Amino acid sequence: MRNMSDIIEQYLKDMIEQSGNEAVEIKRAHIAEKFDCVPSQLNYVIKTRFTNEHGYVVESKRGGGGYIRITKVEVHSETEYLAHLQNLIGENISQLNAEHLVQSMYENEVITYREAQIIDAVMKREILSLELPYRDILRAKILRRIITAILYAKE
C-alpha cells in the first residue's frame, strides 16, 4: 500500500499533467483538507519530491492569500535537459540530490531502470568512502562524467 506522501505526490503530478505541464497553483490548506493530513505533510512532499533535481520549480507565498505554484521545467531537447542537470550538480552533490537527479533522468527516459540502479549503486556513501566534503565533490565529478557520456552516446 502506498503511503500518504506517495498519494499526494501522484495527485500533484496528475494536476500538472492535466494542465498541459503548465504551472499549477495550490493552497496548502485545501490539499491538506482533501487528504485529511496536516499542511506540513504537504510541505514535506513538495520539499523532497518537487525539487530542481526532479525537474520542478516551486514558488511559495505565505499568508491568507498564499499559494504554492509548481512548474515542471520545460526543456526542448534531451541535450538541453542534460545540460540543465549538469548545471544543477555544481562542484559537489549530496547522495540524496544525486539520487533525485538519477530518478529524474529515469522518469524522463534518458536512462533505463537498470542504468539508474547501477548509477545509484556507485553514488552511495559506503562506496565513496571519503570524508566530507571530498565525497560530495567526487560524487559530483562522477555524475557529471556520466551525463557527459550519455550526451556523447546520443550523438
Side-chain angles (χ1 to χ4, degrees):
M1 187 169 146
R2 297 183 332 166
N3 66 35
M4 183 59 70
S5 295
D6 293 338
I7 293 167
I8 294 169
E9 174 188 16
Q10 191 58 54
Y11 174 78
L12 294 173
K13 284 183 174 180
D14 290 345
M15 282 181 68
I16 293 167
E17 188 176 316
Q18 290 169 5
S19 76
N21 287 327
E22 297 293 323
V24 294
E25 285 187 11
I26 58 170
K27 299 223 181 241
R28 275 183 196 84
H30 172 74
I31 301 296
E33 184 179 310
K34 178 174 182 63
F35 291 100
D36 194 28
C37 67
V38 294
S40 62
Q41 175 103 33
L42 179 61
N43 291 344
Y44 168 78
V45 171
I46 290 169
K47 286 184 180 197
T48 60
R49 302 181 187 200
F50 291 89
T51 63
N52 282 330
E53 293 83 6
H54 283 108
Y56 296 93
V57 174
V58 177
E59 301 168 62
S60 179
K61 181 181 176 229
R62 297 199 179 261
Y67 61 85
I68 298 171
R69 180 180 299 133
I70 305 171
T71 308
K72 185 152 178 61
V73 174
E74 188 68 37
V75 287
H76 301 290
S77 72
E78 191 170 286
T79 302
E80 185 180 316
Y81 168 71
L82 290 170
H84 169 73
L85 292 183
Q86 282 193 317
N87 288 335
L88 285 176
I89 294 170
E91 293 301 312
N92 59 63
I93 189 167
S94 69
Q95 180 176 328
L96 181 62
N97 285 338
E99 289 169 352
H100 290 166
L101 280 174
V102 171
Q103 180 67 27
S104 177
M105 287 191 294
Y106 170 68
E107 288 174 358
N108 285 286
E109 299 178 354
V110 173
I111 59 175
T112 65
Y113 177 77
R114 183 171 185 246
E115 291 166 337
Q117 294 298 107
I118 293 167
I119 295 167
D120 275 342
V122 301
M123 294 292 145
K124 301 285 185 208
R125 66 182 54 88
E126 300 82 34
I127 301 302
L128 305 175
S129 55
L130 296 168
E131 295 295 317
L132 289 174
Y134 306 108
R135 179 173 56 225
D136 289 352
I137 292 168
L138 178 59
R139 185 181 292 116
K141 287 180 179 184
I142 292 169
L143 198 49
R144 279 196 311 273
R145 183 62 189 109
I146 288 169
I147 292 172
T148 300
I150 292 168
L151 279 165
Y152 284 119
K154 300 287 181 184
E155 292 178 356

